[in-house]
Amino acid sequence: MKTFCSRTNPTTGVLEWVEQCEDYDYHQEIARSSYADMLHDRDRNQKYYVGIRAAVARVKARGEKVIVLDIGTGTGLLSMMAVTAGADFCYAVEVFKPMAEAAQCIVKKNGFSGKIKIINKHSTDVTVGPDGDMETKANILITELFDTELIGEGALPSYEHAHQNLVQERCEAVPHRATVYAQLVESELLWSWAQLQPVEVGGAHLVPPPDVVHCAGAHSVCDIQLSQVSPRSFTPLGPVCTMFSVDFSKLVSSSFQSHSSQFVAQSDGQAQVVLSWWDLEMDPGGSIVCTMAPSWTYTVPEKAPWRDHWMQSVYFLPEESRVAEGEQLSLTVCHDDYSLWYSLQTHRQQKPRPLPSRPCCTCQAHLVWNRPRFGELNDQRRTDSYVRALRSVLKEDSVCLSISDGSLLPVFAHMLGSRKVYSLEHSRMSRQVIEQLLEANSMKGAVEMLGLRPEQLTTNDFGEQQISVLIGEPYFSTSLLPWHSLFFWYCRTALASLLQPNATIMPCSATLHMVAVEFKDLWRIRAPCGTCEGFDVTPMDEMVQRSLDFCESHEAEPHPLWEYPCRALTPSTAIMTFDFTQQLPQEPISIQGSLPFTRSGCCHGVALWMEYHLTDDITVSTGLIRPVSEQGECEWTRHRKQGVYFLRTPWERSGEDGAVVSYSFTFEPGLGDIKMNKASTSSPCWGPEQVSLLT
């Protein structure tokens, strides 16, 4: 039976029905999870295994039968480790049905069926007793319930319930303990992701609305590869502080708690940001430690293990405050059952401040703009490019229409002298945020906000005038892959009858760019999982391999490549051009070509991005922000995600053997898709099948 699901096409904006295969959820959810990355994490696997062996030995030394409870078993790896270490029986709990089914197959293939029972339930629904899921309570509790924030996957409620209902009083726990660390810093870069800064527009300043300035911001954690944030990008205002620890071998509370750390400020600065990470102690003595600390905390940074399933966290203080070197400070972390947040107390504050509640956006801006978007809006060099382009196309009698989500371009157009400015903002919250901005700068009503779709607009909406200048960044909140912003072209085409015959379109065109790359680490998330790093089992049967081999994706995936170092092995080049001065074509646009390998290395895939040509001589890139270095080093914008197409099999190249990457791309206007057709090298590289680059 065929299954269909609805979606709004991010490129065309049209609601469409997409046929899905019968096991769609299974393939999609498992493939896009972090299981492949975890199975390749040798440091994690080895330390879990050593910790489990030690726990089993301690229980056996007490003369007890070893019964293990593994909550969140995933592939069943930790349960198999426990049985291999000598456990008598293991109950492996996995709430996600497709993954539980996969674990069942993995356990069976590796010969553990008689000693491991897969329970497809949430752990809080598991029962113990003659008719229950478990015959008896466990004396070893093994879990991997952690996320970047440690507790964001509900670890605390799960532990609390397990200690109350599923494990014995003197149970061993692996991991035994978790400890959270934090460091207070000043960082112009990181703070630009939290608050809208004043913007210079042609000598004038656009200031953020007071409600935005005083808003505590979004409550969700900002999780990033902190190792890729250079220490030059921030100033430490205090030492790395131990904030709190959780002992998993005892009853854990999921209720609200707060913990404070006192220290002396190390330097003058603006207290803005808290960098945070955690580690796991696998044994009671703390001799087996798995840490999430960023690489720049290591004496030898190259020895830091890489992982993507657990990263580091950036927390933004509710407001920035000035601190002086030598000043006594108190950093407080609060947490409920799922999230953490921080606040700062200085000695100058006469009375202790009440503990803040979890941050919640009250200005709507943090709901309209995500953190990379804040950084993009605060990028003055990028703003200067748009201002220069607008100056060159606007006239005193210009009637200007802007098409982008939550964009400041229409405000810029008004400030630069356009006679009338309209902005197409379908989102009510976006319109309200821009209206707040206009009011804060005494420009109320200067931009007329239109909440309609392009095809719904008529000349009546523009006072019987025709649009002389159509502008866009383009930026749309629904865009995932770089070419999804071609939605601007569809809007431009829908508005054709409302544009003056000689109307200016900005950007006038866009180009899709490509470069073949060698990733330092990102390749691991899509590498085949035939075996586990650090543990000698073969956990992937044919069915599971097929699902996790979405790791070798048939589609392009969006990734913020500034967080994932890579080397270019070929020149970067524009492979397809989209002319916005013309209406959307009816026929597909196809292009073929090849790129020579100019550097030695292992080609893991290709990176793809868009560059927008605002005018003939002003271009804004959503990918590389400067030419590739002689060594092949790439510097990517932090504001947008790039598209990555992983090869089925990494390809070693010497750079001197004359090999090339041949490509064939087709843009389907009716579908809004860009497809990569059969492509090859001097020996087959991509495989013969047609591959869609859109999710």
Side-chain angles (χ1 to χ4, degrees):
M1 184 176 68
K2 294 183 178 180
T3 302
F4 295 87
C5 70
S6 64
R7 70 164 189 176
T8 298
N9 188 303
T11 311
T12 66
V14 174
L15 181 66
E16 58 189 19
W17 290 91
V18 181
E19 182 180 348
Q20 303 295 352
C21 59
E22 195 170 315
D23 53 355
Y24 167 78
D25 287 342
Y26 178 84
H27 285 272
Q28 293 292 319
E29 299 302 326
I30 294 180
R32 297 186 184 283
S33 68
S34 295
Y35 288 110
D37 175 36
M38 288 189 289
L39 293 172
H40 282 290
D41 189 342
R42 174 174 289 270
D43 178 72
R44 165 195 177 271
N45 295 340
Q46 286 183 332
K47 287 172 179 174
Y48 258 104
Y49 192 31
V50 174
I52 289 170
R53 283 191 306 180
V56 170
R58 289 193 297 273
V59 173
K60 283 185 174 293
R62 300 200 298 257
E64 300 176 17
K65 187 177 181 180
V66 179
I67 305 298
V68 173
L69 172 62
D70 175 10
I71 299 178
T73 194
T75 62
L77 175 61
L78 301 185
S79 292
M80 291 187 289
M81 287 183 179
V83 173
T84 302
D88 294 285
F89 198 81
C90 183
Y91 296 100
V93 181
E94 174 57 50
V95 67
F96 181 40
K97 185 177 180 180
M99 197 66 243
E101 293 173 350
Q104 189 73 59
C105 295
I106 294 167
V107 166
K108 181 178 179 180
K109 178 172 182 178
N110 284 279
F112 293 105
S113 295
K115 288 197 171 185
I116 298 176
K117 178 182 179 182
I118 305 296
I119 302 172
N120 180 208
K121 288 185 176 182
H122 194 285
S123 66
T124 56
D125 295 324
V126 172
T127 57
V128 179
D131 299 321
D133 303 297
M134 300 169 59
E135 291 184 9
T136 183
K137 290 186 177 181
N139 49 19
I140 294 182
L141 175 58
I142 300 173
T143 60
E144 205 286 66
L145 296 171
F146 315 113
D147 66 348
T148 293
E149 202 171 14
L150 181 67
I151 65 173
E153 291 186 2
L156 295 182
S158 296
Y159 271 111
E160 187 175 40
H161 176 270
H163 276 287
Q164 292 171 340
N165 301 278
L166 306 178
V167 298
Q168 299 173 20
E169 187 174 344
R170 294 179 58 210
C171 83
E172 300 283 344
V174 183
H176 179 83
R177 182 185 297 107
T179 303
V180 174
Y181 303 92
Q183 185 172 35
L184 180 69
V185 303
E186 174 185 14
S187 175
E188 181 181 350
L189 168 65
L190 299 178
W191 189 244
S192 72
W193 299 350
Q195 291 290 350
L196 185 64
Q197 308 297 325
V199 183
E200 183 178 340
V201 183
H205 280 84
L206 189 68
V207 299
D211 286 351
V212 175
V213 174
H214 300 301
C215 180
H219 72 271
S220 59
V221 65
C222 177
D223 56 339
I224 63 172
Q225 291 284 356
L226 203 51
S227 295
Q228 298 309 314
V229 176
S230 168
R232 296 188 298 273
S233 299
F234 59 86
T235 301
L237 301 180
V240 175
C241 301
T242 301
M243 298 307 300
F244 69 95
S245 294
V246 182
D247 187 338
F248 297 128
S249 68
K250 300 177 182 178
L251 180 61
V252 171
S253 173
S254 62
S255 61
F256 173 88
Q257 293 185 32
S258 65
H259 311 269
S260 296
S261 181
Q262 284 73 41
F263 58 92
V264 173
Q266 295 178 342
S267 60
D268 297 341
Q270 290 290 115
Q272 300 167 323
V273 176
V274 176
L275 311 181
S276 184
W277 58 90
W278 47 269
D279 63 29
L280 297 175
E281 295 174 26
M282 298 298 181
D283 64 320
S287 62
I288 311 166
V289 180
C290 184
T291 181
M292 308 309 123
S295 62
W296 36 259
T297 65
Y298 284 67
T299 304
V300 182
E302 292 75 18
K303 291 187 176 181
W306 182 86
R307 49 179 64 94
D308 202 49
H309 50 284
W310 295 330
M311 293 187 280
Q312 297 80 39
S313 303
V314 173
Y315 295 91
F316 303 99
L317 293 177
E319 59 183 6
E320 58 181 338
S321 57
R322 189 75 185 170
V323 300
E325 183 178 358
E327 184 177 4
Q328 189 70 36
L329 303 175
S330 178
L331 183 65
T332 298
V333 60
C334 301
H335 72 79
D336 53 21
D337 49 351
Y338 281 92
S339 59
L340 281 67
W341 59 96
Y342 285 83
S343 60
L344 182 69
Q345 181 88 21
T346 68
H347 82 287
R348 297 189 306 274
Q349 294 160 350
Q350 298 298 320
K351 295 181 180 179
R353 292 184 176 180
L355 292 175
S357 57
R358 188 171 67 172
C360 179
C361 177
T362 56
C363 70
Q364 298 188 91
H366 298 91
L367 305 178
V368 170
W369 299 321
N370 60 25
R371 291 183 176 108
R373 180 60 170 163
F374 267 99
E376 188 168 55
L377 296 174
N378 286 325
D379 186 338
Q380 188 62 52
R381 286 192 299 179
R382 177 182 175 278
T383 294
D384 291 343
S385 295
Y386 279 98
V387 169
R388 285 190 291 113
L390 285 169
R391 281 188 182 280
S392 70
V393 302
L394 292 177
K395 301 176 182 178
E396 290 185 358
D397 62 347
S398 291
V399 178
C400 183
L401 173 62
S402 174
I403 301 178
S404 286
D405 288 350
S407 177
L408 303 185
L409 281 193
V411 184
F412 297 168
H414 167 75
M415 296 174 70
L416 294 172
S418 182
R419 176 168 66 89
K420 183 64 179 178
V421 181
Y422 299 90
S423 180
L424 196 60
E425 287 279 7
H426 187 64
S427 164
R428 178 180 57 83
M429 281 197 298
S430 289
R431 295 197 298 273
Q432 290 176 347
V433 169
I434 300 303
E435 286 167 353
Q436 287 181 55
L437 182 71
L438 291 167
E439 187 170 357
N441 289 272
S442 302
M443 291 186 285
K444 186 175 182 179
V447 176
E448 188 168 335
M449 314 295 291
L450 303 173
L452 302 174
R453 296 181 58 82
E455 63 272 15
Q456 295 174 317
L457 294 171
T458 68
T459 54
N460 293 333
D461 297 300
F462 304 108
E464 303 301 328
Q465 305 172 100
Q466 285 189 307
I467 302 301
S468 60
V469 181
L470 181 67
I471 62 175
E473 300 189 40
Y475 171 85
F476 302 100
S477 59
T478 55
S479 297
L480 296 175
L481 291 161
W483 43 89
H484 287 172
S485 290
L486 289 177
F487 180 57
F488 176 80
W489 204 5
Y490 289 80
C491 294
R492 177 257 184 271
T493 301
L495 294 166
S497 64
L498 304 180
L499 302 178
Q500 290 182 3
N502 59 345
T504 299
I505 312 295
M506 189 198 93
C508 56
S509 64
T511 46
L512 177 65
H513 289 245
M514 165 182 163
V515 64
V517 296
E518 174 185 51
F519 285 110
K520 181 181 177 183
D521 294 299
L522 185 63
W523 61 272
R524 301 174 191 271
I525 71 171
R526 294 295 174 260
C529 299
T531 59
C532 285
E533 294 286 348
F535 182 62
D536 188 19
V537 299
T538 305
M540 299 293 110
D541 76 341
E542 198 171 305
M543 177 180 64
V544 178
Q545 184 70 59
R546 189 166 62 248
S547 294
L548 287 177
D549 268 357
F550 207 85
C551 302
E552 302 177 283
S553 176
H554 291 196
E555 301 179 345
E557 305 173 15
H559 290 286
L561 291 186
W562 73 269
E563 295 186 55
Y564 305 104
C566 62
R567 289 177 58 246
L569 301 182
T570 67
S572 63
T573 187
I575 58 175
M576 188 174 286
T577 300
F578 311 96
D579 185 358
F580 297 152
T581 65
Q582 304 298 315
Q583 294 188 48
L584 189 74
Q586 298 297 312
E587 300 299 320
I589 302 174
S590 296
I591 190 72
Q592 296 180 348
S594 62
L595 292 177
F597 283 95
T598 55
R599 298 178 185 87
S600 301
C602 182
C603 182
H604 294 115
V606 296
L608 302 137
W609 69 97
M610 298 287 281
E611 294 191 359
Y612 295 101
H613 308 287
L614 307 184
T615 62
D616 291 339
D617 59 349
I618 302 175
T619 296
V620 173
S621 175
T622 66
L624 290 174
I625 57 177
R626 54 178 47 89
V628 174
S629 73
E630 290 186 10
Q631 294 74 34
E633 295 171 344
C634 302
E635 188 172 350
W636 304 94
T637 178
R638 291 185 173 94
H639 308 323
R640 304 280 182 102
K641 291 182 179 181
Q642 292 71 45
V644 178
Y645 183 88
F646 290 97
L647 297 185
R648 289 185 171 276
T649 303
W651 202 43
E652 286 283 354
R653 288 293 82 188
S654 68
E656 300 175 355
D657 55 7
V660 299
V661 177
S662 298
Y663 56 83
S664 175
F665 285 91
T666 299
F667 170 60
E668 297 278 0
L671 301 176
D673 285 1
I674 292 180
K675 292 185 177 180
M676 177 178 284
N677 304 314
K678 180 179 178 181
S680 63
T681 61
S682 54
S683 62
C685 176
W686 305 105
E689 66 273 24
Q690 186 181 63
V691 179
S692 171
L693 288 182
L694 286 186
T695 53

